[in-house]
Amino acid sequence: MSATNPLLVAALAVGALAVPFPAQAEASPELKAEVIAAVEAQRKDIQVMVDTVFAFAEPGFQEVRTSEYLSGILEQNGFTIERGVAGIPTAFTASWSHGSGGPKIALGSDIDGLLGLSQMPGVPEITPIIEGAPGHGEGHNSGMPLMIAAALAAKKVMEAHDIDGTLMLWPGVAEELLATKAYYVRAGMFDGVDASIFAHVSNALTTGYGNLGLNGMISVEYTFHGKPAHAAGMPWDGRSALDAVTAMDVLWNMRREHLQTTQRSHSIVTNGGNQPNIVPETASAWYFFRDNTFANVRTLYETGNTIADAAALGTGTTVTRRVRGYAAPNFGNKPLAEAAYANMEAVGMPAWTEGDQTFARRVQEANELRVAPLAAEVGPLSSPELRGGANFGASDDIGDVMWTVPTITIGYPANIPNVIYHHQTAAMAMATPIAHKGVEVGAKAAAMTVLDIATTPELVTDAWTYFNEVQAAEDTYDPLLAAEDMPTIEMNKKLMDELRPEMKPYYYDPSRFDSYLDQLGVDYTAGD
């Protein structure tokens, strides 16, 4: 995520805004006991799903096997699948309805991996499965298994007790590129949705509301166009596009001193030319511009465009730009968060074994991370008051959904404290019992909250009142997508066409092995 990680964990790990809403009505204890049992009955299925998606390890826009696998499970369980939504091949919706009324509840989580972060699970040292291949160095292999388990459990209870409602599951594609959810919203995916629950991996069981302190962002690639020439014999006949990329970098860094302290901006050169003795005809740089309000993100984008134009003018080149993605600031819904938090307290944390705690400590010690045990208690409800206006720098494009329909993010304890996200350490536990147990408790909390929404109309009413009267009073949804901006679905394709044949022998085979650790020959408890 771009958004997450320790940052999202921090944003979701504290306190409570004083907005006068009544205590939420909720589903009966008997219904919740049934849905908990229905999640527990899927314990083996959870492990298989988590391990299978971990082994696929597909990066943004190339989650081909992951999408087919997850949507296939839902289809086999009575959900109607729409594939390729919003013009994105690996995106889908999976819908199931009971009765003719009731609320429509959206359940989502991300599915993409990260480039170059292949990692053996259950091994505390950096050990790629395949050198240079992608991996789940954020834990996105776990969220959709959680939502599927929660949805199937809620479906079972809703059918048994004739509870009306619609469940719609959807995957976050290319979240690490912050590249799709604004397109989902633009395509109308959330039209008619009454409430939305999102899940993201954490080392805690928590949720929050209000401004979560996560920045909005626009992702844009600038391509400069010059004139090629012999770089030694006739350089005066050339106009270097790479010079323009360099000039933009220098100018942006000069401007940085005069930007708001809340902004974050960073870039890479995606094309620097062909070879040194040819003046580069084209060169490109890819920028992320982040800040804490819609207006500030727009200002950064306009500033970047001005600087790009100036760099082109100064180097005798021209420039075009392509928006690659967008993410709105995050804003969680208070009534939904309070309902979910009550369920988290009822579920509690996993029963960690000595082996789980030992492995967590081994990962921390081997990678010089701060040593802390797996959490034993549910963290506090996160609120603007306890966050104190903190800005955590990172982004998550669930924000676009949050500004479209009342939404919360549930953090679930499937990872180890103090690992580095977007790094191999964040993958080490993600196909181990730590991840499996964390997903199970998260699925219970999510399924219980689904029942709260489905059985208590006042919860939906209160959620929309907060959305319209509190959230809308703070800001207005202002995405920076132009009509011609389209998802960059070609990204990572060439890389995965090359790597998939090498990765395929390492896909998890649950018909032969009890777990992915067994298949890889990893002793999770070694060193106990």
Side-chain angles (χ1 to χ4, degrees):
M1 171 175 172
S2 331
T4 143
N5 321 15
L7 306 177
L8 179 61
V9 172
L12 295 178
V14 276
L17 175 78
V19 176
F21 283 92
Q24 299 305 322
E26 58 181 312
S28 70
E30 293 77 15
L31 289 179
K32 291 188 176 183
E34 285 187 39
V35 89
I36 287 173
V39 171
E40 291 175 347
Q42 299 177 76
R43 186 167 294 157
K44 178 60 180 178
D45 296 332
I46 288 171
Q47 174 262 309
V48 170
M49 287 191 287
V50 168
D51 289 4
T52 298
V53 178
F54 183 93
F56 287 151
E58 295 175 304
F61 290 114
Q62 303 308 315
E63 310 97 336
V64 178
R65 289 184 175 272
T66 301
S67 180
E68 290 174 350
Y69 171 71
L70 296 173
S71 63
I73 292 171
L74 289 162
E75 193 166 31
Q76 291 167 11
N77 283 277
F79 284 73
T80 300
I81 311 299
E82 181 183 353
R83 295 183 171 88
V85 295
I88 300 165
T90 54
F92 65 85
T93 59
S95 300
W96 168 85
S97 296
H98 184 77
S100 58
K104 184 176 182 179
I105 306 165
L107 304 171
S109 193
D110 300 319
I111 60 173
D112 56 324
L114 285 151
L115 298 179
L117 296 186
S118 176
Q119 173 63 33
M120 292 280 284
V123 176
E125 297 82 24
I126 294 176
T127 309
I129 297 174
I130 296 173
E131 191 71 42
H136 277 289
E138 171 115 353
H140 285 180
N141 61 301
S142 58
M144 280 305 290
L146 181 157
M147 284 305 193
I148 290 172
L152 296 184
K155 174 178 178 287
K156 181 178 181 180
V157 174
M158 291 170 73
E159 288 173 330
H161 294 273
D162 199 25
I163 299 169
D164 288 356
T166 297
L167 305 180
M168 184 188 80
L169 281 81
W170 58 276
V173 168
E175 187 279 334
E176 301 296 2
L177 304 173
L178 297 160
T180 59
K181 295 188 185 72
Y183 293 104
Y184 288 175
V185 169
R186 188 175 74 177
M189 184 188 294
F190 296 93
D191 291 353
V193 170
D194 294 289
S196 168
I197 304 174
F198 188 72
H200 197 281
V201 63
S202 176
N203 57 50
L205 183 59
T206 185
T207 191
Y209 63 89
N211 185 333
L212 295 174
L214 293 166
N215 280 329
M217 187 220 69
I218 186 164
S219 164
V220 55
E221 186 174 42
Y222 296 94
T223 298
F224 294 88
H225 309 272
K227 180 183 176 184
H230 194 300
M234 303 173 66
W236 46 83
D237 281 337
R239 297 293 182 268
S240 173
L242 181 58
D243 285 350
V245 165
T246 303
M248 181 175 182
D249 179 65
V250 171
L251 289 169
W252 182 262
N253 283 308
M254 287 180 173
R255 187 62 177 270
R256 207 184 288 267
E257 178 184 359
H258 310 287
L259 298 173
Q260 295 290 334
T261 56
T262 50
Q263 75 86 28
R264 300 288 189 276
S265 52
H266 23 275
S267 65
I268 62 169
V269 175
T270 52
N271 172 20
N274 294 320
Q275 62 187 64
N277 61 343
I278 301 175
V279 174
E281 181 178 13
T282 61
S284 304
W286 183 10
Y287 281 76
F288 279 13
F289 300 126
R290 311 182 196 244
D291 213 329
N292 59 358
T293 68
F294 291 101
N296 286 353
V297 174
R298 182 175 287 278
T299 297
L300 284 179
Y301 181 42
E302 292 170 349
T303 302
N305 294 342
T306 299
I307 287 176
D309 290 341
L313 182 65
T315 56
T317 62
T318 60
V319 63
T320 56
R321 62 181 182 265
R322 180 182 184 183
V323 171
R324 287 187 169 273
Y326 178 80
N330 284 206
F331 204 105
N333 186 269
K334 185 184 182 188
L336 294 181
E338 290 178 334
Y341 185 72
N343 292 324
M344 292 174 180
E345 290 190 304
V347 170
M349 292 293 286
W352 306 119
T353 66
E354 183 178 348
D356 298 331
Q357 294 285 8
T358 298
F359 180 69
R361 186 179 66 252
R362 289 170 61 214
V363 167
Q364 293 160 348
E365 291 175 347
N367 296 282
E368 299 181 343
L369 306 172
R370 185 169 63 86
V371 174
L374 298 170
E377 297 180 357
V378 175
L381 178 63
S382 176
S383 77
E385 287 184 341
L386 291 185
R387 289 191 295 273
N391 181 280
F392 300 101
S395 311
D396 191 323
D397 56 1
I398 189 58
D400 293 87
V401 182
M402 289 175 159
W403 285 94
T404 304
V405 59
T407 302
I408 56 169
T409 293
I410 287 177
Y412 55 95
N415 216 328
I416 293 170
N418 304 321
V419 295
I420 305 168
Y421 285 88
H422 294 197
H423 185 264
Q424 291 92 335
T425 53
M428 291 172 178
M430 290 312 305
T432 73
I434 293 172
H436 307 148
K437 294 172 185 178
V439 167
E440 182 179 329
V441 299
K444 290 176 181 178
M448 293 163 72
T449 307
V450 168
L451 291 184
D452 287 338
I453 297 167
T455 60
T456 53
E458 58 264 47
L459 178 54
V460 175
T461 300
D462 289 346
W464 277 101
T465 299
Y466 182 87
F467 182 90
N468 290 318
E469 296 182 4
V470 178
Q471 181 173 344
E474 291 210 10
D475 213 336
T476 301
Y477 186 48
D478 181 27
L480 291 173
L481 296 183
E484 64 271 18
D485 293 328
M486 295 296 166
T488 53
I489 60 175
E490 74 280 3
M491 288 192 70
N492 299 321
K493 184 177 187 307
K494 182 179 179 182
L495 174 70
M496 290 306 291
D497 286 347
E498 295 172 356
L499 284 173
R500 272 204 183 91
E502 191 175 353
M503 296 170 66
K504 188 174 180 180
Y506 292 94
Y507 291 164
Y508 174 44
D509 183 355
S511 68
R512 297 179 56 205
F513 299 96
D514 187 55
S515 70
Y516 196 40
L517 294 181
D518 290 339
Q519 181 170 325
L520 296 173
V522 174
D523 183 358
Y524 171 73
T525 61
D528 283 8

